[in-house]
Amino acid sequence: MPKRSLTVVSAALLLILSWFASAPALAKNSNSLQVKGSDTMVNLVQAWVEEYMKKEPQAFIAVTGGGSGTGLAALINGTCDIAVSSRQIKGQERELAGKKGVTPTEYKVALDGLAVVVNPANPVSQLTLDQLVDIFTGKIKNWKELGGEDLNIVILSREVNSGTHVYFKEHVLRKNDAKSTAEFSSDALMMPSSQAIADEVKNNRSAVGYYGMGYIGKDHKAVSVAKAEGSPHVFPSVERVIAGDYPISRPLFFYVNGQGSEDVKKFMDFILSPEGQAIVTQVDFVPIQIKS
Amino acid sequence: MTVFQKFREGLVEWVIRASGVASIFIVALILIFLLKEGGGLFQTQKLGDFLLGQKWYPISEPGEFGILPLILGSILVTLGAAAISVPLGVAAAIYIAEVAPSYLKELLKSGVEILAAIPSVVLGFVGLATIVPWMKIIFHLPTGLTAFSGSVVLAFMAMPTIVSIAEDALHSVPRSYKEGAYALGATHWQTIYRVVLPAASPGIMAAVMLGIGRVVGETMAVMMITGNAASIPRGILYPVRTLTATIAAEMGETVQGSEHYFALFSIGIVLFVITFIINMTADMFLHREPK
C-alpha cells in the first residue's frame, strides 16, 4: 500500500513538473506579449488589448500592473516585452539597461490629468498649487486653514514604486525645480494602489489623495486646481487637459527594447492609430495629438 | 550483513545526514547573502544614521535612510499584538488542556488549527473591511489605518502558535503532579494555577516567543492595514510603517546595486537579528533544565 501511494505521488509530481516546464514554452510559441507596469494605466492598457485581440484573434497579450518602476525593472531584466510607465525612465535605469544589453525606446501613448480628490462631504473644492504643496508636505495640518471643517488632514500618497508618487513629488511638491528638497510629510499614509486611495477617500471625510483622472468615481470629489493665487481654478477634465490649462497633467509612456519584435510593432501601431486613441477617451484618459 | 545491506545503510545514513546539515547550510548562505548585499549601504551611510535616523526618504537624491520610525513601528505593532494574543492564547490553552470536556477539546483544537491555516492576506483583507472602519468610529480617529488595527489582526495570527504550543506544554505536565496536588486537598483551579502552570511555564514562554516571532515577520496584513506612514509613532492609535512592509512595498522599484536596494537588505539584516534573538530566547526556555 505505501509503495503504491508513493508511485501515485511521484506520478502526480512528474505531471505537475512537466506542466510547469511546458507552460512558458507554450506561451512563447504563440505570438504572446507580456505587458507590465503602471497601475494607473492598467485599465487603459486592458481596453487597448481587448480591442486589439478582437481584431487580431491569434495575438495573445498578458497585462499586469505592479507600478511603473516594476514594469521598467521587468523590461531591463528581459521578463516583459512592453513596460508601461506613468513617468519617464530615470538615467540610472537607462544605464542599467545598457549594461544588460537593453535599449529602452520611448513612446508617448496618452496623457493623464492627476486629480486631487477629497470626500464629497468635504466643503473644500478648490485649491492652488501652493496650497497643495503645503498640504502634502504637512505644513497645513487642518482643513480649517483652507476654509473647511475643523478636522486634521489625512494625507494619502502612493508607495515609492509608483510613477504617480514620483510625478506628484517632482512636479507638484518640487514644482519641477531640480534643486528643491521638498518631500511628502512623513505622516502621509502610503497606500499600495490607486484603488486603496479611492476607497479610503470614499470612507474618510478628512482624507486627501491624488490619482489619475480615470479613477474619479461618484464617491470622490475632484478638487479644481489653480496655478497660482488669482489664476482661475480648473477642474480636471479631458477637455481642460487637452487645452493645457489643467496644471497637473502628464504624459504616459510605453517602453520597448530597441525596435521591438514584429508583434510589438503591430500593437504599437494600433495604439497610436486614431482607433487606438479613441479608446483612450473612453477610459477617461486624454489622447495625444497624432501627427498625420 | 551483506555488502549490499551495508552499502544501503551507509547510503541512507549519508542522505539523512545531508538533509540535517542542509538546513544549517541554507541559513548560513542566506545570512552571508544578506550581509554581502546589505553591507553595501555602509560604504556611504553611517550605521548610527541608519539605525537611529528619523527620516526614511529612500528615492530622493540624496536619499535618507533612517529606519528608527520603522523599528519603532514594528515594535509597537508587535507589543500590541502580544498584549492581546498572549492572555487570550494562554487562557485558551489552559481551557483546552485542563478544563474542556474531551469532545469540546477536539473541536477547539481543530478550530485553532483552521485559524492557523487562513492566509495572512485574507486576514488583512477582512481586517481592512471590518476592524479599520470600527477603529475609526470607536476611537474617533482621523483614519482607522493604525498600529492598533494591525495589532488586532496579528493577534489572530499569533494565537494558533501560542495555543497549540502552550497546550502541548500543559499536556505534558506529569499526571503525578496533579494527583499530588489533589491529594493535598487543592481545588481544580488551585491545581492549575499553583502546580500545572508553573510546571509548564518554560513551554508557555517558548509558545509566547514563537508567537511573537510570527508577528514580527508578518508582512502582508500589516502592509494593508497599518497605514505605512514612516514617522516616529506617537501612539498605538496612529499610523505606522513596519520593517517588513517597507521591504515588501519598495522592493519592486529598486535598481539592483543602488543605495535603496542595499538599504532594503540592511533592513532584512535587522529583521534577521530580531527574529534570531526571539527564537534563541524561545529555545532557551524550552531547553532549560526543570528545577
Side-chain angles (χ1 to χ4, degrees):
Chain A
M1 185 57 202
K3 227 175 200 166
R4 223 180 107 195
S5 63
L6 200 72
T7 327
V8 173
V9 168
S10 43
L13 266 177
L14 265 178
L15 216 79
I16 293 167
L17 278 178
S18 60
W19 182 78
F20 271 116
S22 63
L26 259 175
K28 278 251 163 62
N29 279 342
S30 60
N31 29 8
S32 86
L33 293 179
Q34 297 290 325
V35 181
K36 194 175 170 76
S38 170
D39 280 324
T40 308
M41 295 167 68
V42 159
N43 291 338
L44 172 63
V45 177
Q46 198 66 50
W48 270 328
V49 165
E50 270 167 28
E51 210 46 45
Y52 181 70
M53 275 158 67
K54 263 185 223 158
K55 288 177 45 153
E56 307 272 338
Q58 82 287 0
F60 180 79
I61 302 177
V63 184
T64 38
S68 301
T70 313
L72 289 166
L75 184 74
I76 293 167
N77 294 329
T79 54
C80 77
D81 301 288
I82 300 176
V84 181
S85 178
S86 60
R87 62 164 168 83
Q88 233 164 350
I89 192 167
K90 292 180 201 161
Q92 209 182 11
E93 285 164 336
R94 233 179 230 293
E95 218 172 89
L96 195 82
K99 273 186 208 153
K100 301 210 174 182
V102 175
T103 33
T105 316
E106 180 180 292
Y107 292 93
K108 204 187 274 184
V109 292
L111 300 171
D112 181 24
L114 270 190
V116 174
V117 283
V118 295
N119 189 282
N122 190 329
V124 176
S125 56
Q126 47 185 33
L127 294 167
T128 64
L129 276 181
D130 284 327
Q131 283 172 325
L132 283 180
V133 173
D134 289 347
I135 292 172
F136 280 92
T137 52
K139 218 162 122 196
I140 296 179
K141 291 192 185 302
N142 198 304
W143 284 111
K144 205 169 52 180
E145 294 168 58
L146 299 160
E149 296 170 275
D150 185 8
L151 285 170
N152 283 330
I153 298 175
V154 174
I155 308 165
L156 307 175
S157 165
R158 289 290 308 279
E159 276 288 355
V160 294
N161 64 349
S162 154
T164 315
H165 171 112
V166 175
Y167 184 88
F168 200 83
K169 186 169 95 180
E170 286 174 358
H171 296 262
V172 180
L173 300 190
R174 298 191 168 177
K175 300 178 168 167
N176 294 320
D177 178 0
K179 282 189 214 107
S180 166
T181 55
E183 294 279 5
F184 280 102
S185 159
S186 64
D187 287 328
L189 305 191
M190 296 291 181
M191 310 299 274
S193 64
S194 295
Q195 193 56 50
I197 293 184
D199 289 346
E200 182 68 12
V201 166
K202 187 175 101 183
N203 297 319
N204 192 337
R205 57 195 294 161
S206 43
V208 58
Y210 59 87
Y211 45 65
M213 266 166 35
Y215 275 94
I216 304 173
K218 62 178 186 334
D219 300 317
H220 324 115
K221 185 171 80 174
V223 174
S224 299
V225 181
K227 275 199 182 85
E229 193 69 44
S231 334
H233 289 84
V234 183
F235 187 80
S237 66
V238 173
E239 297 77 35
R240 300 323 320 153
V241 173
I242 294 179
D245 339 326
Y246 184 68
I248 327 173
S249 66
R250 58 176 173 172
L252 302 172
F253 303 99
F254 270 21
Y255 286 92
V256 303
N257 181 12
Q259 292 297 307
S261 67
E262 278 308 307
D263 292 326
V264 170
K265 267 189 212 156
K266 239 166 132 186
F267 184 51
M268 290 304 311
D269 286 345
F270 169 74
I271 284 172
L272 297 174
S273 71
E275 198 187 348
Q277 289 297 310
I279 297 170
V280 176
T281 328
Q282 283 165 25
V283 284
D284 293 325
F285 284 93
V286 181
I288 49 166
Q289 301 295 322
I290 302 161
K291 290 175 211 116
S292 50
Chain B
M1 213 180 340
T2 65
V3 179
F4 175 67
Q5 269 177 330
K6 216 171 179 177
F7 170 74
R8 199 173 66 174
E9 290 193 3
L11 186 74
V12 169
E13 201 184 304
W14 185 84
V15 167
I16 58 172
R17 181 184 299 146
S19 314
V21 174
S23 62
I24 295 199
F25 185 64
I26 291 168
V27 170
L29 279 184
I30 291 174
L31 184 61
I32 291 168
F33 184 75
L34 271 182
L35 287 174
K36 183 177 142 277
E37 297 290 310
L41 182 71
F42 302 109
Q43 291 168 358
T44 50
Q45 302 279 320
K46 286 197 208 99
L47 181 63
D49 291 347
F50 175 66
L51 290 176
L52 300 175
Q54 303 194 3
K55 285 191 175 147
W56 177 256
Y57 288 113
I59 58 163
S60 296
E61 300 279 339
E64 294 197 60
F65 300 96
I67 63 164
L68 190 64
L70 315 181
I71 296 178
L72 292 176
S74 275
I75 291 176
L76 197 62
V77 172
T78 307
L79 285 182
I84 299 167
S85 63
V86 169
L88 271 179
V90 173
I94 293 174
Y95 182 71
I96 292 174
E98 299 294 325
V99 185
S102 60
Y103 72 94
L104 200 57
K105 203 179 265 190
E106 289 312 310
L107 194 72
L108 286 173
K109 272 171 110 171
S110 33
V112 167
E113 272 154 30
I114 291 172
L115 188 57
I118 301 175
S120 74
V121 63
V122 175
L123 275 176
F125 196 41
V126 172
L128 193 62
T130 58
I131 293 168
V132 170
W134 293 344
M135 286 293 159
K136 184 166 175 286
I137 295 165
I138 296 170
F139 297 105
H140 300 287
L141 299 173
T143 174
L145 297 163
T146 62
F148 191 54
S149 312
S151 296
V152 172
V153 170
L154 288 188
F156 285 113
M157 267 178 238
M159 278 267 289
T161 313
I162 296 178
V163 173
S164 47
I165 298 176
E167 199 262 334
D168 273 351
L170 290 165
H171 194 74
S172 58
V173 172
R175 209 181 152 71
S176 54
Y177 284 28
K178 280 184 262 180
E179 281 165 356
Y182 289 136
L184 288 171
T187 63
H188 192 185
W189 171 241
Q190 283 171 330
T191 310
I192 292 171
Y193 181 57
R194 295 282 178 80
V195 177
V196 179
L197 263 186
S201 63
I204 292 175
M205 282 311 293
V208 168
M209 294 316 281
L210 290 175
I212 290 176
R214 170 124 206 247
V215 170
V216 173
E218 171 48 42
T219 307
M220 200 58 220
V222 286
M223 186 158 78
M224 291 165 82
I225 58 183
T226 56
N228 298 326
S231 62
I232 299 277
R234 277 161 292 182
I236 199 153
L237 293 175
Y238 286 89
V240 296
R241 187 180 184 87
T242 63
L243 294 164
T244 47
T246 305
I247 299 182
E250 296 175 12
M251 64 185 178
E253 162 76 354
T254 57
V255 176
Q256 274 188 23
S258 65
E259 262 189 327
H260 188 193
Y261 174 85
F262 291 143
L264 292 186
F265 271 102
S266 304
I267 294 180
I269 298 175
V270 172
L271 270 171
F272 187 91
V273 169
I274 294 174
T275 41
F276 183 76
I277 292 170
I278 291 172
N279 280 348
M280 279 294 285
T281 325
D283 219 44
M284 260 167 46
F285 281 117
L286 268 185
H287 293 134
R288 205 165 58 177
E289 291 296 312
K291 276 177 234 159

